[in-house]
Structure formats: structure tokens, C-alpha cells
Amino acid sequence: MTNLVLFGPPGAGKGTQADILKEKYQLIHISTGDVFRNNIKNKTELGLNAKSYMDKGQLVPDEVTIKMLNAEVDKNEGAKGFIFDGFPRTAAQADALAELLKLKNTEVTAMIALEVDDEILVDRLLERGKTSGRKDDADESVIRNRIKVYYNETAVLKEYYKKQDKYYGVDGVGSIEEITQRLSAVIDKLQA
Ligand code: AMP
């Protein structure tokens, strides 16, 4: 299996690239943010629980997020592999992912990070907010909080996967096609 953690701050382009890469490599794309947003739309208990955190740009608690992620992975028995987008975001989530994949006799193949400067991120997210309908993209203070949360809580995962020799950084500035090419070069090497 090829199990990729697509990593990077909010607005780095993870969702856009995951949509392309899932087709190219026949992988299941799991975006925890998308799953939460669908649950909010359908007014489920999970959605109600997640909404207050998301609206403020804070992380949904690990316990809730990990349970949801496990269920999403279990829905896709027989998959060739996964692209995890927006997960893990904490060390506890990374540990839980390792455990889950171990039960399936597999592991995280690599973390591939899209590297983009903060000011570019804020501009991209404000631009996306004009059409995405996402409340957390519409307010600059919420955007800045999400970037702060990324550095305070999530960025440590770079070291987590570096220690396992699984970290690959990719320049996330350029055209969508250019960035897909850079990511594909890494994935092709991993699969060679
Ligand atoms: P995203 O679509 O990845 O930008 O996520 C949007 C929001 O969903 C985040 O700001 C968090 O509130 C929540 N969220 C998504 N994934 C996670 C996660 N792995 N852990 C905690 N909260 C998450």
C-alpha cells in the first residue's frame, strides 16, 4: 500500500493536489476537514460537536477526530492506499494512525509537505473565502489563528516523520501543474 500524509499549513494546496493525485495513483483521499464539513451540513452529532472548534480555527479534540478517521479508513477495505489530507495534526493523531495502519499490516509510506510562506497563505485563503462558502476562510483573524495553530500544534509532526526518515518537503509555490509534478516525482520514487 502507498499511504501518504499530505502536509502543510492551511492554504498550502493540499486539497487541490490530493484531488489530482488520488486519480493519478488510484488512492483513497481522506480529508478530515471535508468529513467534518459534510457532517455539519447534514447536522449530525459529530458535525455539531466539531462546528464550534472549526468556526474559531481551533482543532477538533483528538478523541473525536481519531474515532472519525478510523471509521473512514475502515469504510475502504481493499484500498491500494490512502492520501491523508489534514490528518494527522497532532502527535497523538500520528500515533493513532500508526496503530491503525499496523492493524492492517501497513504503515505511513511518507509525509509530503507543501512549503508556502505565511503571507501567501493568508492571501490565498482570503481569495478562496470569496467562493468556498467556508466561514473559517472569510475572516482574517480566524485564518491567522489557523496558521498559528498549525505552527504551535501541527508543525512538530515534521520532526516526528523526519525521525522515521519519511519526510519530504516540496515547494508549494507555482502553478497547480508544476506542484503536481513535484509531488509526483516524490511519489514515483517511493513506488519505484
Ligand atoms: P481543513 O479543511 O483541513 O483546513 O480543516 C478545517 C478545520 O477542521 C480545522 O481548522 C479544524 O478545526 C478541523 N480539523 C480538520 N482536520 C482536523 C484534525 N486532523 N484534527 C483536528 N481538527 C481538524
Side-chain angles (χ1 to χ4, degrees):
M1 282 176 94
T2 301
N3 300 306
L4 305 173
V5 173
L6 198 53
F7 193 67
K14 301 185 292 292
T16 304
Q17 293 297 332
D19 275 337
I20 300 169
L21 296 172
K22 72 174 178 194
E23 300 295 339
K24 183 165 178 186
Y25 294 97
Q26 296 294 299
L27 302 171
I28 302 291
H29 173 205
I30 300 180
S31 155
T32 43
D34 283 351
V35 177
F36 284 136
R37 279 184 289 276
N38 276 331
N39 276 276
I40 291 173
K41 206 165 77 192
N42 295 326
K43 299 196 165 58
T44 67
E45 202 183 321
L46 175 66
L48 284 177
N49 199 342
K51 189 175 185 318
S52 57
Y53 299 98
M54 291 175 74
D55 284 351
K56 285 181 260 176
Q58 295 169 356
L59 295 185
V60 177
D62 280 338
E63 202 192 315
V64 177
T65 306
I66 289 167
K67 199 169 147 205
M68 175 273 262
L69 190 277
N70 283 10
E72 290 298 314
V73 169
D74 283 341
K75 273 186 206 166
N76 290 286
E77 205 63 55
K80 277 177 67 181
F82 293 91
I83 300 176
F84 297 102
D85 158 11
F87 185 96
R89 266 172 151 100
T90 64
Q93 292 181 14
D95 287 341
L97 181 61
E99 245 175 70
L100 173 68
L101 293 178
K102 199 169 171 199
L103 285 175
K104 300 187 182 302
N105 293 315
T106 185
E107 61 181 352
V108 168
T109 311
M111 163 182 271
I112 312 181
L114 289 169
E115 296 162 344
V116 181
D117 276 351
D118 290 358
E119 289 313 308
I120 298 179
L121 297 173
V122 175
D123 287 348
R124 281 190 188 175
L125 290 168
L126 282 170
E127 197 52 41
R128 182 170 86 184
K130 291 179 189 166
T131 53
S132 70
R134 280 180 57 169
K135 207 172 165 186
D136 61 349
D137 285 344
D139 179 334
E140 185 165 337
S141 67
V142 174
I143 289 175
R144 290 200 182 272
N145 193 47
R146 286 160 60 205
I147 295 172
K148 196 173 100 197
V149 166
Y150 171 79
Y151 285 110
N152 289 346
E153 302 183 48
T154 303
V156 291
L157 293 182
K158 177 173 173 176
E159 286 310 313
Y160 183 103
Y161 287 104
K162 255 192 177 169
K163 270 193 209 140
Q164 300 179 22
D165 252 343
K166 290 181 176 173
Y167 180 86
Y168 299 83
V170 163
D171 180 5
V173 182
S175 70
I176 291 177
E177 294 77 16
E178 278 167 347
I179 297 165
T180 305
Q181 271 180 14
R182 290 174 201 152
L183 292 167
S184 299
V186 174
I187 300 169
D188 291 342
K189 256 198 201 145
L190 290 167
Q191 292 190 332

